[in-house]
Amino acid sequence: MSDANANIPHGFETLAIHAGQEPDPLTGAVVPPIYQVSTYKQDGVGGLRGGYEYSRSANPTRTALEECVAALEAGARGLAFASGLAAEDCLLRTVCKPGDHVVIPNDAYGGTFRLFAKVLDRWGLEWTPAQSGDADAVRRAIRPGQTKVVWCETPSNPLLGVADIEQLAGVAREAGALLVVDNTFASPYLQQPLTLGADVIVHSTTKYMGGHSDVVGGALVAADAELGEQLAYHQNAMGAVAGPFDAWLTLRGIRTLGVRMDRHCANAEKIVELLRGHKAVAEVLYPGLPGHPGHDVAVKQMKAFGGMVSFRVAGGENAAVEVCNRAKLFTLGESLGGVESLIEHPGRMTHASAAGSPLEVPADLVRLSVGIETAEDLVADLERALG
């Protein structure tokens, strides 16, 4: 935003289009340029022009994205990375050291679990799974003096569990730990965890933020400026930054995030209506259902219930796999959050790394990322897939 508008409150959609994205001062271009450059001419030794010297440290296109994401999440500092897992790795190695402990969700994303169990575990970072929707369970999992982070996904991937962010923030604060919330499933349009007491937000910007299945990226947003500076130091030192074209594509996606999320949510509700009454479906997992154990919390902290839907197939694992294989408009594929609808079998795909662990997902589970196609077409496709 320009200085003249910096102190004027703006709505989400206005921030998505304008925050960090002032028209180019040279040409007036209304879209931030792609600064596809590695190094910058300095105005004398140590005299950086606009603070730029080398694009690992900072790049104007990436700066625009970082400022925009920070504004959308109401944070002090935003940072853009090459992937969501790169963002997670930077965060954990910034705020933790070997011998520290983290409480993680018992239904976390498989890649997050793999980072803890197969990578950071060897570095000496200890972890304990707990049900994020149960504040007492999280409190019991904390090791006084050793726990540095309480990690939360809400809604969670792939079981669509809901955690009370404000309540968990209090639990973490009591323990002297940071509350980190993976806000990928909700996006900042539906939920702003920093306003509820979280310390850091994690995003896979590959998903709803980018929104078009054409870019991989990640982001961190810190509530505290000092922590933001520490994260920025490690971002530069570790180097897994978003490239300028990736940053530009993500910004392009963010500009329509609000209108896309409205359609994702509306379409998901129609899919849920089909699933609830279908004889081939044993259980529907969706925070918008009054019977969902986290429904009341979701009503309190979310604008709507999102475009992700999971369900368990009555015929078991093989039947679940067949549903995935029969779908046509729902493309069989990993990832989520794009304009096109996706279907997957988490146990064999995104969460295969959690097999045999406390985070193993049910074998009869199917996960949908409901896109923005015509809702009636999606309902008909899924009805055929269910047989």
Side-chain angles (χ1 to χ4, degrees):
M1 292 289 193
S2 67
D3 291 341
N5 293 325
N7 296 319
I8 301 174
H10 292 286
F12 183 91
E13 292 86 347
T14 301
L15 291 173
I17 295 170
H18 294 284
Q21 302 171 77
E22 284 298 305
D24 179 54
L26 180 63
T27 65
V30 297
V31 174
I34 303 170
Y35 284 89
Q36 195 68 48
V37 57
S38 61
T39 194
Y40 306 80
K41 181 184 185 299
Q42 300 188 20
D43 297 327
V45 176
L48 307 186
R49 191 178 303 182
Y52 296 101
E53 57 179 329
Y54 185 60
S55 278
R56 172 169 42 78
S57 302
N59 173 281
T61 314
R62 193 172 87 230
T63 297
L65 172 60
E66 292 176 338
E67 290 181 358
C68 183
V69 173
L72 296 181
E73 286 286 15
R77 184 70 180 268
L79 299 164
F81 294 82
S83 69
L85 282 168
E88 294 183 7
D89 183 45
C90 178
L91 169 62
L92 289 165
R93 288 198 282 159
T94 299
V95 301
C96 297
K97 63 182 185 303
D100 287 342
H101 175 256
V102 179
V103 178
I104 69 171
N106 66 349
D107 58 347
Y109 163 54
T112 299
F113 171 72
R114 184 176 56 229
L115 178 63
F116 279 104
K118 305 298 184 183
V119 179
L120 294 173
D121 187 79
R122 296 173 60 195
W123 183 62
L125 184 63
E126 300 178 25
W127 51 276
T128 301
Q131 184 179 345
S132 295
D134 183 346
D136 288 334
V138 173
R139 189 177 284 109
R140 288 192 297 270
I142 287 172
R143 300 177 187 175
Q146 188 184 3
T147 301
K148 302 303 180 187
V149 170
V150 173
W151 195 279
C152 169
E153 290 179 13
T154 183
S156 66
N157 181 4
L159 299 178
L160 281 301
V162 173
D164 189 320
I165 297 170
E166 192 170 16
Q167 192 175 42
L168 285 186
V171 171
R173 200 174 301 114
E174 290 170 7
L178 298 175
L179 176 62
V180 174
V181 178
D182 184 334
N183 203 28
T184 298
F185 265 31
S187 88
Y189 181 68
L190 300 183
Q191 178 175 273
Q192 294 179 318
L194 297 185
T195 66
L196 300 171
D199 296 290
V200 185
I201 301 299
V202 173
H203 277 287
S204 171
T205 56
T206 309
K207 313 304 192 299
Y208 286 111
M209 302 281 265
H212 293 79
S213 301
D214 56 9
V215 61
V216 173
L220 298 175
V221 183
D224 177 71
E226 183 178 349
L227 176 56
E229 283 297 317
Q230 295 171 17
L231 292 168
Y233 175 86
H234 283 79
Q235 179 196 41
N236 180 49
M238 296 162 69
V241 297
F245 186 48
D246 291 347
W248 186 88
L249 282 171
T250 305
L251 268 176
R252 186 277 313 267
I254 286 174
R255 286 176 162 230
T256 60
L257 178 59
V259 292
R260 285 188 289 104
M261 291 307 298
D262 284 341
R263 176 61 69 87
H264 284 300
C265 294
N267 281 0
E269 290 178 2
K270 293 180 179 179
I271 293 296
V272 167
E273 186 178 345
L274 163 71
L275 294 172
R276 288 183 68 192
H278 203 287
K279 62 182 181 181
V281 177
E283 182 183 12
V284 182
L285 307 176
Y286 187 66
L289 292 173
H292 187 285
H295 177 71
D296 291 343
V297 174
V299 169
K300 178 181 71 170
Q301 69 188 23
M302 298 179 71
K303 182 178 180 178
F305 303 110
M308 300 300 300
V309 180
S310 291
F311 63 97
R312 300 182 70 172
V313 179
E317 180 176 8
N318 290 335
V321 170
E322 283 305 307
V323 170
C324 294
N325 289 334
R326 284 195 295 262
K328 301 301 180 186
L329 278 180
F330 279 90
T331 301
L332 180 63
E334 300 196 8
S335 196
L336 59 103
V339 293
E340 64 287 308
S341 295
L342 299 178
I343 189 170
E344 68 132 352
H345 184 267
R348 297 191 185 185
M349 295 171 68
T350 53
H351 290 68
S353 61
S357 79
L359 281 74
E360 183 173 8
V361 299
D364 57 4
L365 188 73
V366 172
R367 192 194 73 180
L368 305 175
S369 174
V370 182
I372 66 171
E373 301 96 334
T374 303
E376 290 75 15
D377 294 336
L378 294 177
V379 168
D381 183 57
L382 190 56
E383 197 163 25
R384 284 192 298 270
L386 288 166

